[in-house]
Amino acid sequence: MSLKISKSDKKFMDLAISLAEDRVGLTGSNPSVGCVIVNKSQIISVGQTGIGGTPHAETVAIKSAKKEDLRGSSMYVTLEPCNHYGRTPPCTKQIIKNKIGKVFFGVKDVDIRTSGKTTKILNNFNIKVKKNLQIKKILNLYKSYFFLKKQEYPFITGKIACTKDYYIKTNRKYISNPHSLNFSHLLRYKNQGILVSSKTVNSDNPQLNCRLNGLLKYSPTRFVLDKNLDISLKSKIVKNSKKIKTYIFYNKSNSKIKKLKKMGIKLIYINLIQNNNLDLIHVLKKIKKLNVYYLLVEGGIELTNYFMLKKLFNEFFLLKSGNNINNKKRFTKFKFKNRILNTFSNKETINTYLGKDKIIKYF
């Protein structure tokens, strides 16, 4: 039951992709899916995966449409509709029940419970199916989902801010302008966890939350690498750890451990490896087991450099200010621009209203 692809089909799938992109990082272990339902060339409903992973996009779109409009309609969905019982009933059951006539999906799911089975199931009910629509865009959309299905640790995004002349420490509180700072908070919203070192906590005293209007409740779980428990008990993240989940990975106990636990910090012991460092891969596996699938690393120069050397970043954002600094002797130079270029094959400048600042994404 082969279907021919028209310009309109691509347009509707592009809309479904946009819906899915909006929720990437917010759907837990489930993929972010976008769905558009069309009847007589008119969009009758849309859906996207719910925050946390449910409900599924297809279910949202079906429930948003009138039952009489669904009969004989066409569904455009970014991922192969599920056909198994999990946290929700199969989407194929809803598609069949509502007599949808055609299903266009972007790519086969890698989940073995569904993978490659949907077409046959729908064809048995005379529903026409076409897969691999807008495949290049779809593969880019599901880069993180496919990674998470294969790896035992999260999809990792790196971020660092520097001046125009590549210094990361200045005599100002913030290197970036307010627009770039808002982008940093957007990254925190889009990631379930954020990782820093105790050195960053003690030198910058950050809050590590999302301070965009209305999004504070989506602040990421905070993780701190602190081998010797050097973290200051007066730091902001310790003081408000009962409001936002906060974990410290450590190796050496001291008198702070009882105080930290009493203040709401969760402590996880980690073995040391070569060079007397915490076993970072073990840390990352622990983070994923805590149901954090998207992790933002906002460390300083040392932690960023270590992740870069180990090729652990899946993508990296360089927030570059439009200003130089004057007294360069006092500040830290960002020296691994070439390493970024050698690590990632692609880069793009984010087109936003940032004044003189630039945001460069490497992937």
Side-chain angles (χ1 to χ4, degrees):
M1 295 185 179
S2 181
L3 290 170
K4 291 183 179 180
I5 301 299
S6 67
K7 288 183 179 179
S8 294
D9 294 326
K10 293 180 180 179
K11 179 183 73 174
F12 294 132
M13 183 58 82
D14 283 344
L15 176 56
I17 291 169
S18 295
L19 290 166
E21 286 174 339
D22 185 54
R23 291 277 169 90
V24 171
L26 303 175
T27 58
S29 60
N30 279 356
S32 177
V33 175
C35 180
V36 176
I37 302 179
V38 176
N39 201 341
K40 297 178 181 178
S41 300
Q42 297 295 315
I43 295 173
I44 60 171
S45 67
V46 300
Q48 55 189 161
T49 306
I51 291 176
T54 58
H56 289 188
E58 299 95 318
T59 300
V60 173
I62 287 171
K63 287 185 176 180
S64 300
K66 294 178 180 178
K67 189 153 189 165
E68 58 268 26
D69 291 338
L70 289 169
R71 188 180 184 94
S73 63
S74 297
M75 174 181 282
Y76 299 82
V77 60
T78 52
L79 190 67
E80 178 180 13
C82 69
N83 49 59
H84 64 275
Y85 282 89
R87 291 166 64 189
T88 63
C91 290
T92 48
K93 190 173 182 179
Q94 289 286 325
I95 292 168
I96 293 163
K97 179 182 175 181
N98 287 281
K99 296 182 168 50
I100 290 170
K102 301 174 185 176
V103 173
F104 299 81
F105 68 83
V107 70
K108 183 173 73 172
D109 197 349
V110 292
D111 189 321
I112 59 172
R113 296 172 297 176
T114 284
S115 187
K117 302 171 186 175
T118 294
T119 297
K120 185 176 180 180
I121 290 170
L122 295 180
N123 283 170
N124 286 338
F125 289 85
N126 296 316
I127 298 170
K128 296 179 180 179
V129 179
K130 182 70 176 180
K131 63 181 179 179
N132 296 337
L133 183 56
Q134 299 293 64
I135 187 64
K136 287 184 179 180
K137 293 179 181 180
I138 292 288
L139 290 176
N140 184 58
L141 168 66
Y142 287 118
K143 179 175 66 172
S144 59
Y145 172 60
F146 294 155
F147 174 87
L148 289 167
K149 280 294 183 182
K150 291 188 294 185
Q151 298 295 340
E152 294 181 87
Y153 46 85
F155 185 87
I156 303 170
T157 298
K159 188 225 86 175
I160 204 164
C162 68
T163 62
K164 188 176 181 181
D165 46 354
Y166 294 98
Y167 284 83
I168 66 164
K169 286 288 185 182
T170 76
N171 53 355
R172 294 179 299 166
K173 184 176 181 181
Y174 297 116
I175 292 174
S176 307
N177 67 23
H179 307 296
S180 296
L181 288 171
N182 283 340
F183 180 82
S184 295
H185 286 283
L186 183 65
L187 285 179
R188 292 177 183 180
Y189 163 67
K190 295 284 282 185
N191 285 272
Q192 297 164 307
I194 184 168
L195 176 70
V196 298
S197 67
S198 59
K199 187 175 179 180
T200 293
V201 173
N202 290 341
S203 64
D204 297 346
N205 198 17
Q207 297 182 64
L208 301 181
N209 57 5
C210 176
R211 296 193 291 279
L212 296 176
N213 287 339
L215 297 182
L216 180 62
K217 65 180 180 179
Y218 297 111
S219 293
T221 298
R222 301 174 303 192
F223 298 96
V224 182
L225 299 172
D226 190 7
K227 180 176 66 175
N228 299 319
L229 291 180
D230 293 322
I231 194 167
S232 169
L233 295 176
K234 295 180 180 179
S235 64
K236 291 176 182 175
I237 72 166
V238 171
K239 285 183 175 180
N240 68 5
S241 59
K242 289 183 179 179
K243 294 181 180 179
I244 301 175
K245 280 186 185 177
T246 305
Y247 293 82
I248 292 179
F249 296 102
Y250 77 104
N251 178 264
K252 186 178 178 181
S253 297
N254 62 29
S255 59
K256 291 180 185 175
I257 199 160
K258 288 184 179 179
K259 294 178 183 177
L260 289 167
K261 287 180 178 179
K262 189 175 180 180
M263 296 174 85
I265 299 283
K266 297 171 178 63
L267 292 114
I268 299 176
Y269 180 88
I270 298 291
N271 290 325
L272 300 180
I273 54 171
Q274 292 176 340
N275 301 321
N276 211 31
N277 291 320
L278 294 174
D279 184 343
L280 192 55
I281 296 300
H282 190 204
V283 167
L284 295 174
K285 288 179 179 179
K286 285 279 189 183
I287 289 174
K288 190 177 180 185
K289 284 183 178 178
L290 290 167
N291 297 320
V292 171
Y293 301 96
Y294 291 84
L295 180 69
L296 177 64
V297 176
E298 270 199 30
I301 195 82
E302 291 180 16
L303 187 60
T304 301
N305 193 36
Y306 188 81
F307 268 78
M308 200 73 70
L309 279 170
K310 298 297 181 181
K311 298 187 183 297
L312 290 170
F313 287 127
N314 298 97
E315 60 185 21
F316 188 85
F317 290 92
L318 179 63
L319 278 60
K320 192 174 176 184
S321 167
N323 299 313
N324 293 321
I325 62 170
N326 296 320
N327 188 356
K328 297 180 181 178
K329 290 182 180 179
R330 292 179 53 199
F331 307 120
T332 308
K333 183 87 171 184
F334 176 78
K335 294 181 178 178
F336 47 94
K337 183 185 175 188
N338 288 336
R339 185 168 293 148
I340 295 177
L341 296 174
N342 292 332
T343 302
F344 300 97
S345 17
N346 301 297
K347 76 170 185 174
E348 65 175 332
T349 300
I350 307 295
N351 293 317
T352 51
Y353 297 101
L354 296 170
K356 293 181 180 179
D357 283 13
K358 285 184 179 179
I359 297 177
I360 305 165
K361 178 183 178 182
Y362 297 88
F363 56 101

